[in-house]
Amino acid sequence: MPDDFSGLGLSAKVTDAVAAAGYTKPTEIQAQAIPYVLEKKDIIGIAQTGTGKTASFVLPMLTLLESGRARARMPRTLILEPTRELAAQVHENFEKYGKNHKLSVALIIGGVSFDDQNKKLDRGVDVLIATPGRLLDQFERGRILMSGVEILVIDEADRMLDMGFIPEIEKICAKLPPRRQTLFFSATMAPEIQKLTSRFLKDPIRIEVARKNSVVETIDQKLVRVPNSPEDKRAALRQLIRGEVGLKNAIIFCNRKRDVATLARSLQRHGFSAAGLHGDMDQKSRMETLDSFKTDKLMLLVASDVAARGLDIPAVSHVFNFDVPTHAEDYIHRIGRTGRAGRSGISITLATPSDGKYLDAITRLIQRDIPPMALDGNIREEPVAEAREHEPRERRSRRGRGNTRSDGSTQHAAPGRADRQERNGSEIRSQAPRVHQEAPRPERQDRPEPLPETQKPRRGPVSDTPFGSDGPVPAFLLRPTGAR
Ligand code: AMP
């Protein structure tokens, strides 16, 4: 494998931007795919997120796009992503690695206004990043012509399959010029995906960089036995969070969307810097939450599998499985949020007595047992804090605030302790962080996971439904500036 990016055939503008991003050595998928992409070959890349696969298509695309220019409404390249967040991440990659280029990149995803993007499309774009349904929508409205597409990227094809996007992909492929290059990425190769590649790719080069069910070796996995009750599980989780030395930030996975909201609210009430990420939030709030997490303003991100799918959050120290995933493969995807790109990480899974068969499936899949970890003593140590859920708003809002330490930082990670100290008068509370002060909103998530945006009815207005009728998405409990 090459030791640096110089021998791969990338242009100087691209290698300079890669160096500026701080990357010195190509990852395996990059080393293998980039030269073929530059030769304009079709590619099947079997690689999971975390392997550097995004740059494996973005970097050579940037080099190839240096010759030629965009024409009105005819994007030169098209990248299909299953979710808005992934689309936004790819966009960020183009900004990072394309900083020496003057490329026009448009984003057609749900939840954002199309006005600006349409203006861009009218002027001509080099790169169009889209979710499949939204793209078809715009195509059917006559906003986009697909006949100029030179390169098509289908990213996270297995996710597309899970989310029911294959018919849309087929439709899109049929509208593209047959003489194009296709780069196809998937973590797994289910038969439906295989079928898609044999239909739409020409003599593809197959590159496989990780075994399908491999668990990143740098993740320290632990299993904690907890009782069935949600209250006990939440108390156990709080104890674990407080007890983890070196916890910088964490993603906490729940199996059900309504539990994401409940757990996020509960953690907030206990003073943690926490917010939920789920599909009912509008695009702006999802992005804000994600951004707060990426920029360390938010410590705990509570998420469902769909909401967290493929998200690139480079430095997550911990993953908690508040629920044991019912699909064993999700365990690998979830814990893969930590231990990325060679970093070490810790995953802690809470298992109840009724999770036996799911745990068995996971251990079979990863071909090892998850080492047990014990909780300290009694996990129900905080009856007062739990009771707070029913307190009036004003009283609640006075609690759970960070405690300013003598060094000016604010203590958030041990709110139980902080509360006690506050009552003892032993800590000064001079700098209140922004605290979520809203009364608990009625649960409106008793539905299954939201359909991906393309499966929602697509006729009529294109804007996404806002987060319920009761006002904007709740403020997030953020760390105050300089809290770290
Ligand atoms: P991806 O698989 O595209 O989601 O990328 C996973 C992470 O690896 C991202 O945070 C990238 O910024 C990072 N990354 C990409 N290429 C490299 C590289 N050559 N060396 C180290 N990290 C990289």
Side-chain angles (χ1 to χ4, degrees):
M1 200 161 71
D3 273 344
D4 59 37
F5 282 90
S6 63
L8 299 178
L10 294 166
S11 68
K13 278 184 187 173
V14 174
T15 49
D16 287 353
V18 170
Y23 301 136
T24 49
K25 194 170 182 272
T27 64
E28 201 182 339
I29 182 89
Q30 291 162 5
Q32 291 200 48
I34 290 171
Y36 286 118
V37 180
L38 291 171
E39 280 178 33
K40 305 204 175 183
K41 296 260 195 269
D42 281 6
I43 303 274
I44 299 174
I46 305 165
Q48 291 168 342
T49 50
T51 54
K53 80 172 158 59
T54 314
S56 80
F57 60 84
V58 171
L59 302 181
M61 280 174 78
L62 283 165
T63 298
L64 291 172
L65 283 165
E66 283 173 24
S67 50
R69 54 187 289 276
R71 284 183 289 163
R73 292 203 200 167
M74 293 173 72
R76 297 175 65 196
T77 63
L78 172 63
I79 300 171
L80 297 177
E81 294 288 337
T83 65
R84 313 151 179 192
E85 282 81 8
L86 280 169
Q89 270 171 210
V90 172
H91 191 201
E92 280 168 22
N93 270 254
F94 271 97
E95 283 177 343
K96 179 162 72 172
Y97 302 125
K99 69 189 193 81
N100 301 321
H101 297 72
K102 283 204 184 73
L103 291 182
S104 169
V105 182
L107 205 55
I108 299 284
I109 55 177
V112 290
S113 148
F114 290 127
D115 286 357
D116 292 347
Q117 308 303 313
N118 278 335
K119 276 183 205 140
K120 277 191 187 176
L121 284 164
D122 285 348
R123 286 195 298 269
V125 296
D126 298 287
V127 182
L128 174 59
I129 307 163
T131 47
R134 295 285 162 164
L135 178 75
L136 278 178
D137 227 25
Q138 293 298 296
F139 176 79
E140 280 158 18
R141 286 160 197 255
R143 311 291 326 197
I144 303 166
L145 298 170
M146 309 250 209
S147 48
V149 173
E150 299 156 30
I151 304 174
L152 166 70
V153 179
I154 300 174
D155 196 17
E156 304 261 333
D158 48 350
R159 294 299 181 195
M160 303 267 202
L161 174 69
D162 285 352
M163 295 169 86
F165 283 152
I166 300 300
E168 272 97 346
I169 305 240
E170 287 176 341
K171 266 194 204 162
I172 293 167
C173 284
K175 295 180 196 311
L176 295 172
R179 276 171 57 86
R180 59 152 201 276
Q181 183 179 14
T182 306
L183 313 176
F184 189 98
F185 293 88
S186 187
T188 58
M189 286 302 275
E192 295 93 326
I193 292 182
Q194 205 101 43
K195 230 167 84 191
L196 207 61
T197 58
S198 42
R199 221 175 122 196
F200 293 111
L201 275 72
K202 284 204 192 89
D203 305 323
I205 308 285
R206 191 182 158 107
I207 299 167
E208 185 161 0
V209 296
R211 265 191 316 114
K212 190 167 125 188
N213 296 329
S214 65
V215 175
V216 181
E217 293 301 328
T218 51
I219 303 171
D220 184 5
Q221 302 172 61
K222 296 171 188 168
L223 184 77
V224 178
R225 301 281 178 180
V226 292
N228 271 323
S229 97
E231 290 78 21
D232 284 342
K233 284 177 80 177
R234 290 200 288 269
L237 177 71
R238 292 194 295 274
Q239 192 194 101
L240 288 164
I241 294 170
R242 290 182 195 128
E244 274 302 298
V245 181
L247 187 144
K248 177 180 166 287
N249 56 1
I251 305 183
I252 304 167
F253 283 97
C254 298
N255 286 358
R256 283 168 299 269
K257 189 176 53 177
R258 64 170 180 271
D259 294 340
V260 168
T262 309
L263 181 59
R265 273 202 298 267
S266 166
L267 286 165
Q268 286 168 1
R269 284 192 192 106
H270 283 270
F272 288 95
S273 166
L277 190 75
H278 56 77
D280 271 0
M281 291 161 69
D282 65 58
Q283 171 71 355
K284 188 163 166 276
S285 307
R286 282 155 72 119
M287 289 300 194
E288 273 174 13
T289 305
L290 205 54
D291 205 52
S292 299
F293 190 64
K294 281 185 177 177
T295 53
D296 288 337
K297 291 186 195 112
L298 176 70
M299 193 175 78
L300 306 174
L301 185 71
V302 187
S304 63
D305 292 290
V306 169
R309 202 148 270 178
L311 293 182
D312 174 27
I313 302 160
V316 177
S317 73
H318 285 64
V319 166
F320 291 92
N321 288 314
F322 185 70
D323 301 307
V324 174
T326 49
H327 299 292
E329 281 212 355
D330 281 337
Y331 178 80
I332 293 169
H333 291 299
R334 287 180 181 187
I335 74 166
R337 306 296 102 213
T338 187
R340 305 194 87 188
R343 292 186 180 91
S344 60
I346 293 173
S347 82
I348 301 179
T349 300
L350 277 65
T352 68
S354 34
D355 287 325
K357 71 173 180 189
Y358 302 127
L359 268 183
D360 289 348
I362 291 168
T363 49
R364 267 200 311 277
L365 182 72
I366 64 174
Q367 292 170 3
R368 68 177 89 161
D369 285 330
I370 309 172
M373 174 188 178
L375 280 168
D376 296 338
N378 181 9
I379 53 170
R380 298 301 306 273
E381 91 288 28
E382 288 175 293
V384 178
E386 277 290 335
R388 237 183 267 156
E389 310 231 348
H390 308 291
E391 276 182 32
R393 191 170 158 153
E394 305 74 45
R395 270 169 58 200
R396 249 199 356 255
S397 68
R398 288 174 54 80
R399 298 180 196 265
R401 291 177 174 171
N403 294 287
T404 307
R405 294 180 178 132
S406 53
D407 64 359
S409 69
T410 300
Q411 185 178 346
H412 264 286
R417 262 176 276 147
D419 277 349
R420 284 192 288 278
Q421 285 163 343
E422 188 185 301
R423 284 194 287 277
N424 294 339
S426 62
E427 292 239 351
I428 314 153
R429 243 185 14 189
S430 60
Q431 185 192 4
R434 278 174 278 168
V435 177
H436 170 43
Q437 297 188 356
E438 295 193 2
R441 66 178 69 244
E443 212 36 91
R444 61 184 290 276
Q445 285 131 357
D446 284 14
R447 291 178 274 138
E449 280 290 342
L451 288 170
E453 77 270 27
T454 48
Q455 293 185 334
K456 292 177 187 166
R458 265 192 272 113
R459 304 285 155 215
V462 275
S463 65
D464 266 12
T465 323
F467 183 79
S469 54
D470 48 351
V473 171
F476 306 113
L477 184 70
L478 302 177
R479 282 188 193 136
T481 316
R484 292 180 53 73

